[in-house]
Amino acid sequence: MASGDFESVVTNFGFDAIYGSGGNDEVRLGGGNDFSQGYAGNDSLFGEDGDDTLQGFEDNDSLEGGAGADMLYGGDGDDVVTVDADDVVYSGGDGRDQLIYDATTDWSYAIASGDFEAIRSGSGNDSIYGSGADDEITLGAGHDFAQGYAGADEISGQNGNDTIQGFEGDDAIEGGAGVDHLYGGDGDDVVTVDADDAVYSGGTGRDALIYDASTDWSYAITSGDFEAVTSGSGNDSIYGSGSDDEITLGAGNDFAQGYSGADTLRGGLGYDELQGFEGDDLIEGGGGDDTLSGGSGGDVFVFAGAFGHDSIWDFAPGSAGDVIRLENGPFADFNAVMNAAVQDGENTLLTLDAERSITLLGVSKSALQQDDFVLI
């Protein structure tokens, strides 16, 4: 193409050989068994009918063979290679390359066989196997299987009942629509599920489960080997394990119980009930009027932002070890806290302003000590 100062070439029928320049070339081959090489520049090479050979060569190229038994080579750079069921050879080469399978037939592919780092499968029932690198796998509309193998992989399904295995490494997994089975495997994984998913497990490591749905949800952390759970926007109930759990609630009126361990419980925008149960827990109600309970152990109750009107059922002042942490509050010191606190029957009411207050149920104001409060 450099011989004639063209940037775009369209060929006709016959065997054509088109060589690119150092610029960003666009080549559209005709119906024969053609050859095209992009050379340097970000090139776009398209075949049609016939058994074509396309070579991107250098830089970030887009290759698509069209109909026929094509051979596609990305070469250097971050390339996008689109193939169908009839193509016989395709390789990404150096760089971070993406392979798109644009077909409805079932497809099985191992990423390591073609030097690709990102895969998008078609609408058939496909099986994709990752490599030892950080792979990105996006499944199509069929009932698909994907295994990340080693590396920090990102695997997402779409429609269909998919099975996804992160295997090794710190993986991010999401099934999409359908009745999916999701397994994190080794490593610190993030698994995102919805109401239709049937099985999900974090495996070994410190794994996080995200429930991305508006329907009500009840979940026991022990059932899936997760250490951190984020609920959705429904009215959810989350039950912790004997380990150090991290539970973050969504926008509904939710319930969370940490059980044993040093748990971190954070509420959302609704009217939540948080129970630390056993262990030294950190509890934050978030927005809404929440009910908080630390249980046994030295617990920290955090109040920040527009937290509403919250109540603590079992605050233990003095040497018992419970602490109220006020972040960005109006109080300069402990004396200011005590001046704002009043005895309300058997309870102590601490008012920050018209929109924020803390009720310590069954606690006398006179029992409060400076060490019960941390002002940030």
Side-chain angles (χ1 to χ4, degrees):
M1 295 177 70
S3 63
D5 290 331
F6 292 101
E7 290 72 40
S8 179
V9 171
V10 178
T11 69
N12 209 328
F13 294 99
F15 173 73
D16 303 307
I18 307 299
Y19 298 87
S21 67
N24 301 328
D25 304 317
E26 180 179 343
V27 178
R28 295 184 178 274
L29 302 173
N33 301 327
D34 303 316
F35 172 86
S36 181
Q37 182 185 88
Y39 195 56
N42 300 328
D43 305 312
S44 299
L45 311 181
F46 302 95
E48 290 190 6
D49 296 336
D51 303 335
D52 304 316
T53 299
L54 307 181
Q55 297 178 353
F57 210 68
E58 300 177 3
D59 294 315
N60 306 327
D61 306 311
S62 296
L63 282 64
E64 183 172 356
D70 306 309
M71 296 185 289
L72 312 172
Y73 306 92
D76 296 339
D78 301 336
D79 306 310
V80 178
V81 179
T82 301
V83 302
D84 58 34
D86 295 325
D87 294 332
V88 292
V89 178
Y90 28 91
S91 172
D94 294 334
R96 185 162 185 83
D97 305 307
Q98 182 182 20
L99 175 63
I100 300 174
Y101 183 71
D102 186 16
T104 60
T105 54
D106 298 347
W107 185 49
S108 180
Y109 185 74
I111 293 179
S113 65
D115 289 329
F116 290 98
E117 290 71 38
I119 300 290
R120 178 173 297 176
S121 72
S123 56
N125 301 325
D126 304 317
S127 298
I128 309 298
Y129 300 87
S131 68
D134 300 338
D135 303 315
E136 180 179 346
I137 301 173
T138 303
L139 301 174
H143 304 314
D144 303 313
F145 171 85
Q147 182 185 88
Y149 195 60
D153 305 310
E154 297 181 13
I155 308 175
S156 59
Q158 295 187 39
N159 297 328
N161 304 328
D162 304 317
T163 299
I164 299 176
Q165 300 175 352
F167 210 71
E168 300 176 2
D170 302 335
D171 306 311
I173 297 173
E174 182 172 0
V179 182
D180 305 311
H181 294 67
L182 310 174
Y183 306 91
D186 296 340
D188 301 335
D189 307 309
V190 178
V191 179
T192 301
V193 303
D194 58 33
D196 295 326
D197 293 332
V199 178
Y200 29 92
S201 172
T204 58
R206 185 161 184 85
D207 305 307
L209 174 64
I210 300 174
Y211 182 71
D212 186 17
S214 60
T215 54
D216 297 347
W217 185 49
S218 181
Y219 185 73
I221 292 180
T222 54
S223 65
D225 289 328
F226 291 98
E227 290 69 39
V229 171
T230 300
S231 72
S233 56
N235 301 323
D236 304 317
S237 298
I238 310 298
Y239 301 88
S241 69
S243 301
D244 299 339
D245 303 314
E246 182 176 349
I247 300 174
T248 303
L249 301 175
N253 301 325
D254 304 311
F255 171 84
Q257 183 184 88
Y259 196 60
S260 60
D263 304 311
T264 299
L265 311 181
R266 291 188 171 92
L269 297 177
Y271 302 109
D272 303 317
E273 181 177 351
L274 308 181
Q275 298 179 358
F277 211 69
E278 300 176 1
D280 300 336
D281 306 311
L282 186 147
I283 300 174
E284 181 176 3
D289 301 340
D290 306 309
T291 301
L292 315 176
S293 172
S296 60
D299 305 307
V300 178
F301 298 90
V302 178
F303 298 91
F307 60 81
H309 302 288
D310 293 345
S311 300
I312 303 177
W313 279 92
D314 60 349
F315 185 77
S319 60
D322 289 346
V323 172
I324 293 175
R325 191 170 83 195
L326 295 172
E327 298 184 359
N328 301 316
F331 306 122
D333 51 31
F334 176 65
N335 289 332
V337 172
M338 294 302 289
N339 289 335
V342 298
Q343 191 71 43
D344 183 16
E346 296 182 349
N347 311 319
T348 296
L349 174 63
L350 175 61
T351 301
L352 282 72
D353 52 42
E355 303 298 329
R356 298 179 297 171
S357 67
I358 304 168
T359 300
L360 306 180
L361 298 171
V363 175
S364 173
K365 176 182 173 181
S366 62
L368 296 175
Q369 302 179 16
Q370 184 170 343
D371 290 343
D372 296 332
F373 295 88
V374 174
L375 307 179
I376 299 176

